[in-house]
Amino acid sequence: RYISTFRPSVKREAEKNKAQWKTMGPAKVAVPSPKHFLQKHSKEPKLPARKKEQDSKKLPALSVPRRTDRPVMGVQSKKNFINTNAVAAITGLPKKPQPICVDRRQGDKYLLETSGLVPKYIKKKDYGVTPKYVTQRNEEMKRAQKEYEARILEHLKKRAMKQLSDEERRSLLQGLKKNWEEVYREFQRLPVQIDTIPKKLYKEKLESQMKQLEHDIEVIEKHKVIYIANE
């Protein structure tokens, strides 16, 4: 039969602590005195004592009439309310019905004014007028552009650069296109079968020249203003 190895230690601990609980608890705990017994309403929260200043305060004046007040009697008016109401009804403008909208033939009714279908925005005073922030932003952009151009001109003057005129730009563009046509003509004259190293190198040279010329032509056509350094 299996016997635990901790059996002796468990027996020893049980016998050691057995005498402490013979009196329904540890013997060193003080027993409560019978004089301090639980009284009625002792655990209920107690309110603070009322101050005398609160009792001396007067109640606020009430707006309702008092019991001893009497209404004013004998006040009469000579106004003919019947005739006044009749004249107001005859001379008054008829009440206009509120415009409504309906989603379908037997659907619910909604007020047209609050439905969002009435273009109220066209009746505004500033309708069609450019907002102030847009004009202010445009002015700031123009001022920044002018400052940038002035700074560029000053920088170009310091570096001794000049701007190409339209004629020079046009002649330069024509010359680049003419060079490209000549290189392309040489490229077309190449043989169909390129089997030697010199032919391959010549073909690569023509292709690189054509790409460079195409890039230069694209740059000049894209930019209307071109600056070059003085020689």
Side-chain angles (χ1 to χ4, degrees), residues 174-229:
Q174 291 178 358
L176 290 174
K177 290 181 178 179
K178 185 177 180 181
N179 293 340
W180 184 86
E181 290 177 357
E182 292 178 358
V183 176
Y184 183 68
R185 195 178 300 111
E186 292 291 332
F187 183 79
Q188 285 182 336
R189 292 177 182 175
L190 291 174
V192 176
Q193 186 177 1
I194 299 175
D195 50 357
T196 60
I197 295 177
K199 291 181 180 180
K200 291 181 180 179
L201 295 176
Y202 186 62
K203 180 182 178 182
E204 293 177 357
K205 179 182 178 181
L206 293 178
E207 289 178 349
S208 62
Q209 290 180 359
M210 289 172 62
K211 288 183 179 179
Q212 184 63 34
L213 289 171
E214 288 174 359
H215 178 265
D216 297 340
I217 292 170
E218 184 180 358
V219 169
I220 294 175
E221 287 180 347
K222 184 177 180 181
H223 299 86
K224 303 296 182 183
V225 180
I226 299 175
Y227 296 94
I228 60 173

CSV table of all heavy atoms in Angstrom, one decimal, residues 174-229:
chain,number,residue,atom,x,y,z
A,174,GLN,N,15.9,74.6,-82.7
A,174,GLN,CA,16.0,74.1,-84.1
A,174,GLN,C,17.3,73.3,-84.3
A,174,GLN,O,17.4,72.3,-85.0
A,174,GLN,CB,15.9,75.2,-85.0
A,174,GLN,CG,14.5,75.8,-85.1
A,174,GLN,CD,14.4,77.0,-86.0
A,174,GLN,OE1,15.4,77.4,-86.6
A,174,GLN,NE2,13.2,77.6,-86.1
A,175,GLY,N,18.4,73.8,-83.7
A,175,GLY,CA,19.7,73.2,-83.9
A,175,GLY,C,19.7,71.8,-83.2
A,175,GLY,O,20.3,70.8,-83.8
A,176,LEU,N,19.1,71.7,-82.0
A,176,LEU,CA,19.1,70.4,-81.4
A,176,LEU,C,18.2,69.4,-82.2
A,176,LEU,O,18.6,68.2,-82.3
A,176,LEU,CB,18.5,70.6,-80.0
A,176,LEU,CG,19.4,71.3,-78.9
A,176,LEU,CD1,18.6,71.5,-77.6
A,176,LEU,CD2,20.6,70.5,-78.7
A,177,LYS,N,17.1,69.9,-82.7
A,177,LYS,CA,16.3,69.0,-83.5
A,177,LYS,C,17.0,68.5,-84.8
A,177,LYS,O,16.9,67.4,-85.3
A,177,LYS,CB,15.0,69.7,-83.9
A,177,LYS,CG,14.0,69.8,-82.7
A,177,LYS,CD,12.8,70.5,-83.1
A,177,LYS,CE,11.8,70.6,-81.9
A,177,LYS,NZ,10.5,71.3,-82.3
A,178,LYS,N,17.8,69.5,-85.4
A,178,LYS,CA,18.6,69.1,-86.6
A,178,LYS,C,19.6,68.1,-86.3
A,178,LYS,O,19.8,67.1,-87.0
A,178,LYS,CB,19.2,70.4,-87.2
A,178,LYS,CG,19.9,70.2,-88.5
A,178,LYS,CD,20.4,71.5,-89.0
A,178,LYS,CE,21.2,71.3,-90.3
A,178,LYS,NZ,21.7,72.6,-90.9
A,179,ASN,N,20.3,68.3,-85.1
A,179,ASN,CA,21.3,67.3,-84.7
A,179,ASN,C,20.7,65.9,-84.5
A,179,ASN,O,21.3,64.9,-84.8
A,179,ASN,CB,22.0,67.7,-83.5
A,179,ASN,CG,22.9,69.0,-83.7
A,179,ASN,OD1,23.2,69.3,-84.9
A,179,ASN,ND2,23.2,69.7,-82.7
A,180,TRP,N,19.5,65.9,-83.9
A,180,TRP,CA,18.8,64.7,-83.6
A,180,TRP,C,18.5,64.0,-84.9
A,180,TRP,O,18.6,62.7,-85.0
A,180,TRP,CB,17.5,64.9,-82.8
A,180,TRP,CG,16.8,63.6,-82.4
A,180,TRP,CD1,17.1,62.9,-81.3
A,180,TRP,CD2,15.8,63.0,-83.2
A,180,TRP,NE1,16.3,61.8,-81.3
A,180,TRP,CE2,15.4,61.8,-82.5
A,180,TRP,CE3,15.1,63.3,-84.3
A,180,TRP,CZ2,14.4,61.0,-82.9
A,180,TRP,CZ3,14.1,62.4,-84.8
A,180,TRP,CH2,13.8,61.3,-84.0
A,181,GLU,N,18.0,64.7,-85.9
A,181,GLU,CA,17.7,64.1,-87.2
A,181,GLU,C,18.9,63.5,-87.9
A,181,GLU,O,18.9,62.4,-88.4
A,181,GLU,CB,17.1,65.2,-88.1
A,181,GLU,CG,15.7,65.6,-87.7
A,181,GLU,CD,15.1,66.7,-88.6
A,181,GLU,OE1,15.9,67.2,-89.5
A,181,GLU,OE2,14.0,67.1,-88.4
A,182,GLU,N,20.1,64.2,-87.7
A,182,GLU,CA,21.3,63.7,-88.3
A,182,GLU,C,21.7,62.4,-87.6
A,182,GLU,O,22.1,61.4,-88.2
A,182,GLU,CB,22.4,64.7,-88.2
A,182,GLU,CG,22.2,65.9,-89.1
A,182,GLU,CD,23.3,66.9,-88.9
A,182,GLU,OE1,24.2,66.7,-88.1
A,182,GLU,OE2,23.2,68.0,-89.6
A,183,VAL,N,21.6,62.4,-86.3
A,183,VAL,CA,22.0,61.1,-85.5
A,183,VAL,C,21.1,60.0,-85.9
A,183,VAL,O,21.4,58.8,-86.0
A,183,VAL,CB,22.0,61.4,-84.0
A,183,VAL,CG1,22.4,60.2,-83.2
A,183,VAL,CG2,23.1,62.5,-83.7
A,184,TYR,N,19.8,60.3,-86.0
A,184,TYR,CA,18.8,59.3,-86.3
A,184,TYR,C,19.0,58.8,-87.7
A,184,TYR,O,18.8,57.6,-88.0
A,184,TYR,CB,17.4,59.9,-86.2
A,184,TYR,CG,16.3,58.9,-86.5
A,184,TYR,CD1,16.0,57.9,-85.6
A,184,TYR,CD2,15.5,59.0,-87.6
A,184,TYR,CE1,15.0,57.0,-85.8
A,184,TYR,CE2,14.5,58.1,-87.8
A,184,TYR,CZ,14.2,57.1,-86.9
A,184,TYR,OH,13.2,56.2,-87.2
A,185,ARG,N,19.5,59.6,-88.6
A,185,ARG,CA,19.8,59.2,-90.0
A,185,ARG,C,20.9,58.2,-90.0
A,185,ARG,O,20.9,57.2,-90.7
A,185,ARG,CB,20.0,60.4,-90.9
A,185,ARG,CG,20.0,60.0,-92.4
A,185,ARG,CD,20.3,61.3,-93.2
A,185,ARG,NE,19.3,62.3,-93.0
A,185,ARG,CZ,19.5,63.5,-92.4
A,185,ARG,NH1,20.7,63.8,-92.0
A,185,ARG,NH2,18.5,64.4,-92.2
A,186,GLU,N,22.0,58.5,-89.2
A,186,GLU,CA,23.1,57.6,-89.0
A,186,GLU,C,22.7,56.3,-88.4
A,186,GLU,O,23.2,55.2,-88.7
A,186,GLU,CB,24.2,58.2,-88.2
A,186,GLU,CG,24.9,59.4,-88.9
A,186,GLU,CD,25.7,59.0,-90.1
A,186,GLU,OE1,26.2,57.9,-90.1
A,186,GLU,OE2,25.9,59.8,-91.0
A,187,PHE,N,21.7,56.4,-87.4
A,187,PHE,CA,21.2,55.2,-86.8
A,187,PHE,C,20.5,54.3,-87.7
A,187,PHE,O,20.6,53.0,-87.7
A,187,PHE,CB,20.3,55.6,-85.6
A,187,PHE,CG,19.8,54.4,-84.8
A,187,PHE,CD1,20.7,53.7,-83.9
A,187,PHE,CD2,18.5,53.9,-85.0
A,187,PHE,CE1,20.2,52.7,-83.2
A,187,PHE,CE2,18.1,52.8,-84.2
A,187,PHE,CZ,18.9,52.2,-83.3
A,188,GLN,N,19.7,54.9,-88.7
A,188,GLN,CA,19.0,54.1,-89.6
A,188,GLN,C,19.9,53.4,-90.7
A,188,GLN,O,19.6,52.4,-91.3
A,188,GLN,CB,18.0,54.9,-90.4
A,188,GLN,CG,16.8,55.3,-89.5
A,188,GLN,CD,15.8,56.1,-90.3
A,188,GLN,OE1,16.1,56.8,-91.2
A,188,GLN,NE2,14.5,56.0,-89.8
A,189,ARG,N,21.1,53.9,-90.8
A,189,ARG,CA,22.0,53.4,-91.8
A,189,ARG,C,22.8,52.2,-91.3
A,189,ARG,O,23.6,51.5,-92.0
A,189,ARG,CB,23.1,54.4,-92.2
A,189,ARG,CG,22.5,55.6,-93.1
A,189,ARG,CD,23.5,56.6,-93.4
A,189,ARG,NE,22.9,57.7,-94.1
A,189,ARG,CZ,23.6,58.9,-94.4
A,189,ARG,NH1,24.9,59.0,-94.0
A,189,ARG,NH2,23.0,59.8,-95.1
A,190,LEU,N,22.6,51.9,-90.0
A,190,LEU,CA,23.3,50.7,-89.4
A,190,LEU,C,22.8,49.4,-90.1
A,190,LEU,O,21.6,49.3,-90.5
A,190,LEU,CB,23.0,50.6,-87.9
A,190,LEU,CG,23.7,51.7,-87.1
A,190,LEU,CD1,23.2,51.6,-85.6
A,190,LEU,CD2,25.2,51.6,-87.2
A,191,PRO,N,23.6,48.4,-90.2
A,191,PRO,CA,23.2,47.1,-90.8
A,191,PRO,C,22.2,46.4,-89.8
A,191,PRO,O,22.2,46.7,-88.6
A,191,PRO,CB,24.5,46.4,-90.9
A,191,PRO,CG,25.4,46.9,-89.9
A,191,PRO,CD,25.1,48.4,-89.8
A,192,VAL,N,21.5,45.5,-90.4
A,192,VAL,CA,20.5,44.8,-89.6
A,192,VAL,C,21.2,43.8,-88.7
A,192,VAL,O,20.8,43.7,-87.5
A,192,VAL,CB,19.6,44.0,-90.6
A,192,VAL,CG1,18.6,43.1,-89.7
A,192,VAL,CG2,18.8,44.9,-91.5
A,193,GLN,N,22.2,43.2,-89.1
A,193,GLN,CA,23.0,42.2,-88.3
A,193,GLN,C,24.2,42.9,-87.8
A,193,GLN,O,25.1,43.3,-88.5
A,193,GLN,CB,23.3,41.0,-89.1
A,193,GLN,CG,24.0,39.9,-88.3
A,193,GLN,CD,24.3,38.6,-89.1
A,193,GLN,OE1,24.0,38.6,-90.3
A,193,GLN,NE2,24.8,37.6,-88.4
A,194,ILE,N,24.3,43.0,-86.4
A,194,ILE,CA,25.4,43.7,-85.8
A,194,ILE,C,26.2,42.5,-85.1
A,194,ILE,O,25.7,42.1,-84.0
A,194,ILE,CB,25.0,44.8,-84.8
A,194,ILE,CG1,24.2,45.9,-85.6
A,194,ILE,CG2,26.2,45.4,-84.1
A,194,ILE,CD1,23.7,47.0,-84.8
A,195,ASP,N,27.2,42.1,-85.7
A,195,ASP,CA,27.9,40.9,-85.1
A,195,ASP,C,29.3,41.2,-84.6
A,195,ASP,O,30.0,40.4,-84.1
A,195,ASP,CB,28.0,39.8,-86.2
A,195,ASP,CG,28.5,40.3,-87.5
A,195,ASP,OD1,28.8,41.6,-87.6
A,195,ASP,OD2,28.7,39.6,-88.4
A,196,THR,N,29.8,42.5,-84.8
A,196,THR,CA,31.1,42.8,-84.3
A,196,THR,C,31.1,43.8,-83.2
A,196,THR,O,30.1,44.5,-83.0
A,196,THR,CB,32.0,43.4,-85.5
A,196,THR,OG1,31.3,44.6,-85.9
A,196,THR,CG2,32.1,42.4,-86.6
A,197,ILE,N,32.1,43.9,-82.4
A,197,ILE,CA,32.2,44.8,-81.3
A,197,ILE,C,32.2,46.3,-81.7
A,197,ILE,O,31.5,47.1,-81.1
A,197,ILE,CB,33.4,44.4,-80.4
A,197,ILE,CG1,33.3,43.0,-79.8
A,197,ILE,CG2,33.6,45.5,-79.3
A,197,ILE,CD1,34.5,42.6,-79.0
A,198,PRO,N,32.9,46.7,-82.7
A,198,PRO,CA,32.9,48.1,-83.1
A,198,PRO,C,31.5,48.5,-83.5
A,198,PRO,O,31.0,49.6,-83.2
A,198,PRO,CB,33.9,48.2,-84.3
A,198,PRO,CG,34.8,47.1,-84.0
A,198,PRO,CD,34.0,46.0,-83.4
A,199,LYS,N,30.7,47.6,-84.2
A,199,LYS,CA,29.4,48.0,-84.6
A,199,LYS,C,28.5,48.2,-83.4
A,199,LYS,O,27.6,49.1,-83.3
A,199,LYS,CB,28.8,46.9,-85.5
A,199,LYS,CG,29.5,46.8,-86.9
A,199,LYS,CD,28.8,45.7,-87.8
A,199,LYS,CE,29.5,45.7,-89.1
A,199,LYS,NZ,28.9,44.6,-90.0
A,200,LYS,N,28.6,47.3,-82.4
A,200,LYS,CA,27.8,47.4,-81.2
A,200,LYS,C,28.1,48.7,-80.4
A,200,LYS,O,27.2,49.4,-79.9
A,200,LYS,CB,28.1,46.2,-80.3
A,200,LYS,CG,27.5,44.9,-80.8
A,200,LYS,CD,27.8,43.8,-79.8
A,200,LYS,CE,27.3,42.4,-80.4
A,200,LYS,NZ,27.6,41.3,-79.4
A,201,LEU,N,29.4,49.0,-80.3
A,201,LEU,CA,29.8,50.3,-79.6
A,201,LEU,C,29.3,51.5,-80.4
A,201,LEU,O,28.8,52.5,-79.8
A,201,LEU,CB,31.3,50.3,-79.5
A,201,LEU,CG,32.0,49.3,-78.6
A,201,LEU,CD1,33.5,49.4,-78.7
A,201,LEU,CD2,31.5,49.4,-77.2
A,202,TYR,N,29.3,51.5,-81.7
A,202,TYR,CA,28.8,52.6,-82.5
A,202,TYR,C,27.3,52.8,-82.3
A,202,TYR,O,26.8,53.9,-82.2
A,202,TYR,CB,29.2,52.4,-83.9
A,202,TYR,CG,28.8,53.6,-84.8
A,202,TYR,CD1,29.4,54.8,-84.6
A,202,TYR,CD2,27.9,53.4,-85.9
A,202,TYR,CE1,29.1,55.9,-85.4
A,202,TYR,CE2,27.6,54.5,-86.7
A,202,TYR,CZ,28.2,55.7,-86.4
A,202,TYR,OH,27.9,56.8,-87.2
A,203,LYS,N,26.6,51.6,-82.3
A,203,LYS,CA,25.1,51.7,-82.1
A,203,LYS,C,24.8,52.2,-80.7
A,203,LYS,O,23.9,53.1,-80.6
A,203,LYS,CB,24.6,50.3,-82.2
A,203,LYS,CG,23.1,50.2,-82.1
A,203,LYS,CD,22.5,48.8,-82.2
A,203,LYS,CE,21.0,48.8,-82.0
A,203,LYS,NZ,20.5,47.4,-82.0
A,204,GLU,N,25.5,51.8,-79.7
A,204,GLU,CA,25.3,52.3,-78.3
A,204,GLU,C,25.6,53.8,-78.2
A,204,GLU,O,24.9,54.6,-77.6
A,204,GLU,CB,26.1,51.5,-77.3
A,204,GLU,CG,25.7,50.1,-77.2
A,204,GLU,CD,26.6,49.3,-76.2
A,204,GLU,OE1,27.6,50.0,-75.7
A,204,GLU,OE2,26.3,48.1,-76.0
A,205,LYS,N,26.6,54.3,-78.9
A,205,LYS,CA,26.9,55.7,-78.9
A,205,LYS,C,25.8,56.5,-79.6
A,205,LYS,O,25.4,57.6,-79.1
A,205,LYS,CB,28.3,55.8,-79.7
A,205,LYS,CG,28.7,57.3,-79.8
A,205,LYS,CD,30.0,57.4,-80.6
A,205,LYS,CE,30.4,58.9,-80.8
A,205,LYS,NZ,31.7,59.0,-81.6
A,206,LEU,N,25.3,56.0,-80.7
A,206,LEU,CA,24.2,56.8,-81.4
A,206,LEU,C,23.0,56.8,-80.5
A,206,LEU,O,22.3,57.8,-80.4
A,206,LEU,CB,23.9,56.1,-82.7
A,206,LEU,CG,25.0,56.2,-83.8
A,206,LEU,CD1,24.6,55.4,-85.1
A,206,LEU,CD2,25.3,57.6,-84.1
A,207,GLU,N,22.7,55.7,-79.8
A,207,GLU,CA,21.5,55.7,-78.9
A,207,GLU,C,21.6,56.6,-77.8
A,207,GLU,O,20.7,57.3,-77.4
A,207,GLU,CB,21.3,54.2,-78.4
A,207,GLU,CG,20.8,53.3,-79.5
A,207,GLU,CD,20.6,51.9,-78.9
A,207,GLU,OE1,21.1,51.6,-77.8
A,207,GLU,OE2,20.0,51.0,-79.7
A,208,SER,N,22.8,56.7,-77.2
A,208,SER,CA,23.0,57.6,-76.1
A,208,SER,C,22.9,59.1,-76.5
A,208,SER,O,22.4,59.9,-75.8
A,208,SER,CB,24.4,57.4,-75.4
A,208,SER,OG,25.4,57.6,-76.3
A,209,GLN,N,23.5,59.4,-77.7
A,209,GLN,CA,23.4,60.7,-78.3
A,209,GLN,C,21.9,61.1,-78.5
A,209,GLN,O,21.5,62.2,-78.2
A,209,GLN,CB,24.2,60.8,-79.6
A,209,GLN,CG,25.7,60.8,-79.3
A,209,GLN,CD,26.4,60.9,-80.7
A,209,GLN,OE1,25.8,61.0,-81.7
A,209,GLN,NE2,27.8,60.9,-80.6
A,210,MET,N,21.1,60.2,-79.1
A,210,MET,CA,19.7,60.5,-79.4
A,210,MET,C,19.0,60.7,-78.1
A,210,MET,O,18.1,61.6,-78.0
A,210,MET,CB,19.1,59.3,-80.1
A,210,MET,CG,19.6,59.2,-81.6
A,210,MET,SD,19.0,57.7,-82.4
A,210,MET,CE,17.2,57.9,-82.3
A,211,LYS,N,19.2,59.9,-77.0
A,211,LYS,CA,18.5,60.1,-75.7
A,211,LYS,C,18.9,61.5,-75.1
A,211,LYS,O,18.0,62.2,-74.6
A,211,LYS,CB,18.9,59.0,-74.8
A,211,LYS,CG,18.3,57.6,-75.1
A,211,LYS,CD,18.6,56.6,-74.1
A,211,LYS,CE,18.0,55.3,-74.4
A,211,LYS,NZ,18.4,54.2,-73.5
A,212,GLN,N,20.2,61.8,-75.2
A,212,GLN,CA,20.6,63.1,-74.6
A,212,GLN,C,19.9,64.3,-75.4
A,212,GLN,O,19.5,65.3,-74.8
A,212,GLN,CB,22.1,63.2,-74.7
A,212,GLN,CG,22.7,64.5,-74.0
A,212,GLN,CD,22.4,64.5,-72.5
A,212,GLN,OE1,22.3,63.5,-71.9
A,212,GLN,NE2,22.1,65.7,-72.0
A,213,LEU,N,19.9,64.2,-76.7
A,213,LEU,CA,19.3,65.2,-77.5
A,213,LEU,C,17.8,65.3,-77.2
A,213,LEU,O,17.2,66.4,-77.1
A,213,LEU,CB,19.5,65.0,-79.0
A,213,LEU,CG,21.0,65.2,-79.5
A,213,LEU,CD1,21.1,64.7,-80.9
A,213,LEU,CD2,21.3,66.7,-79.4
A,214,GLU,N,17.1,64.2,-77.1
A,214,GLU,CA,15.7,64.2,-76.7
A,214,GLU,C,15.4,64.8,-75.4
A,214,GLU,O,14.5,65.6,-75.2
A,214,GLU,CB,15.1,62.8,-76.8
A,214,GLU,CG,15.0,62.2,-78.2
A,214,GLU,CD,14.6,60.7,-78.1
A,214,GLU,OE1,14.4,60.2,-77.0
A,214,GLU,OE2,14.5,60.1,-79.2
A,215,HIS,N,16.3,64.6,-74.4
A,215,HIS,CA,16.2,65.2,-73.1
A,215,HIS,C,16.3,66.7,-73.2
A,215,HIS,O,15.6,67.4,-72.5
A,215,HIS,CB,17.2,64.5,-72.1
A,215,HIS,CG,17.2,65.1,-70.8
A,215,HIS,ND1,18.0,66.1,-70.4
A,215,HIS,CD2,16.4,64.8,-69.7
A,215,HIS,CE1,17.8,66.5,-69.1
A,215,HIS,NE2,16.8,65.7,-68.7
A,216,ASP,N,17.4,67.1,-73.9
A,216,ASP,CA,17.6,68.6,-74.0
A,216,ASP,C,16.4,69.3,-74.7
A,216,ASP,O,16.0,70.4,-74.3
A,216,ASP,CB,18.9,68.8,-74.8
A,216,ASP,CG,20.1,68.3,-74.1
A,216,ASP,OD1,20.0,68.0,-72.8
A,216,ASP,OD2,21.2,68.0,-74.7
A,217,ILE,N,15.9,68.7,-75.8
A,217,ILE,CA,14.8,69.3,-76.5
A,217,ILE,C,13.6,69.4,-75.6
A,217,ILE,O,12.8,70.4,-75.5
A,217,ILE,CB,14.5,68.4,-77.7
A,217,ILE,CG1,15.6,68.6,-78.8
A,217,ILE,CG2,13.1,68.9,-78.4
A,217,ILE,CD1,15.5,67.6,-79.9
A,218,GLU,N,13.3,68.3,-74.8
A,218,GLU,CA,12.2,68.3,-73.9
A,218,GLU,C,12.3,69.4,-72.8
A,218,GLU,O,11.4,70.1,-72.4
A,218,GLU,CB,12.0,67.0,-73.2
A,218,GLU,CG,10.8,66.8,-72.3
A,218,GLU,CD,10.7,65.5,-71.7
A,218,GLU,OE1,11.6,64.6,-72.0
A,218,GLU,OE2,9.8,65.3,-70.9
A,219,VAL,N,13.5,69.6,-72.3
A,219,VAL,CA,13.8,70.6,-71.2
A,219,VAL,C,13.6,72.0,-71.8
A,219,VAL,O,12.9,72.9,-71.2
A,219,VAL,CB,15.2,70.4,-70.7
A,219,VAL,CG1,15.6,71.6,-69.8
A,219,VAL,CG2,15.3,69.2,-69.9
A,220,ILE,N,14.1,72.3,-73.0
A,220,ILE,CA,13.9,73.6,-73.6
A,220,ILE,C,12.5,73.9,-74.0
A,220,ILE,O,12.0,75.0,-73.8
A,220,ILE,CB,14.9,73.7,-74.8
A,220,ILE,CG1,16.3,73.6,-74.4
A,220,ILE,CG2,14.6,75.0,-75.6
A,220,ILE,CD1,17.3,73.6,-75.5
A,221,GLU,N,11.8,72.9,-74.4
A,221,GLU,CA,10.4,73.1,-74.8
A,221,GLU,C,9.5,73.3,-73.5
A,221,GLU,O,8.5,74.1,-73.5
A,221,GLU,CB,9.8,71.9,-75.6
A,221,GLU,CG,10.3,71.9,-77.0
A,221,GLU,CD,9.8,70.7,-77.7
A,221,GLU,OE1,9.2,69.8,-77.1
A,221,GLU,OE2,9.9,70.6,-79.0
A,222,LYS,N,9.9,72.7,-72.4
A,222,LYS,CA,9.1,72.8,-71.2
A,222,LYS,C,9.3,74.1,-70.5
A,222,LYS,O,8.4,74.7,-70.0
A,222,LYS,CB,9.5,71.7,-70.2
A,222,LYS,CG,8.7,71.6,-69.0
A,222,LYS,CD,9.1,70.4,-68.1
A,222,LYS,CE,8.3,70.3,-66.8
A,222,LYS,NZ,8.7,69.2,-66.0
A,223,HIS,N,10.5,74.7,-70.5
A,223,HIS,CA,10.9,75.9,-69.8
A,223,HIS,C,11.0,77.0,-70.8
A,223,HIS,O,11.7,77.0,-71.7
A,223,HIS,CB,12.2,75.8,-69.0
A,223,HIS,CG,12.2,74.7,-68.0
A,223,HIS,ND1,12.4,73.4,-68.2
A,223,HIS,CD2,11.9,74.7,-66.6
A,223,HIS,CE1,12.3,72.7,-67.1
A,223,HIS,NE2,12.0,73.5,-66.2
A,224,LYS,N,10.1,78.0,-70.6
A,224,LYS,CA,10.1,79.2,-71.5
A,224,LYS,C,11.3,80.2,-71.2
A,224,LYS,O,11.7,80.9,-72.1
A,224,LYS,CB,8.8,79.9,-71.4
A,224,LYS,CG,7.6,79.1,-71.6
A,224,LYS,CD,7.6,78.6,-73.1
A,224,LYS,CE,6.3,77.7,-73.4
A,224,LYS,NZ,6.3,77.2,-74.7
A,225,VAL,N,11.7,80.2,-69.9
A,225,VAL,CA,12.8,81.1,-69.5
A,225,VAL,C,14.0,80.3,-69.2
A,225,VAL,O,14.0,79.4,-68.4
A,225,VAL,CB,12.4,82.0,-68.3
A,225,VAL,CG1,13.5,82.9,-67.9
A,225,VAL,CG2,11.1,82.7,-68.6
A,226,ILE,N,15.1,80.6,-69.9
A,226,ILE,CA,16.4,79.8,-69.7
A,226,ILE,C,17.5,80.8,-69.4
A,226,ILE,O,17.6,81.9,-70.1
A,226,ILE,CB,16.7,79.0,-70.9
A,226,ILE,CG1,15.6,78.0,-71.2
A,226,ILE,CG2,18.0,78.2,-70.8
A,226,ILE,CD1,15.7,77.2,-72.5
A,227,TYR,N,18.3,80.5,-68.4
A,227,TYR,CA,19.5,81.4,-68.1
A,227,TYR,C,20.7,80.6,-68.3
A,227,TYR,O,20.8,79.4,-68.0
A,227,TYR,CB,19.4,81.8,-66.6
A,227,TYR,CG,18.2,82.7,-66.3
A,227,TYR,CD1,17.0,82.1,-65.8
A,227,TYR,CD2,18.3,84.0,-66.4
A,227,TYR,CE1,16.0,82.9,-65.5
A,227,TYR,CE2,17.2,84.9,-66.1
A,227,TYR,CZ,16.1,84.3,-65.6
A,227,TYR,OH,15.0,85.1,-65.3
A,228,ILE,N,21.7,81.3,-68.9
A,228,ILE,CA,23.0,80.6,-69.1
A,228,ILE,C,24.1,81.6,-68.5
A,228,ILE,O,23.9,82.8,-68.4
A,228,ILE,CB,23.3,80.4,-70.6
A,228,ILE,CG1,23.2,81.7,-71.4
A,228,ILE,CG2,22.3,79.4,-71.2
A,228,ILE,CD1,23.6,81.6,-72.8
A,229,ALA,N,25.2,80.9,-68.2
A,229,ALA,CA,26.4,81.7,-67.7
A,229,ALA,C,27.1,82.4,-68.8
A,229,ALA,O,27.3,81.9,-69.9
A,229,ALA,CB,27.3,80.7,-66.9
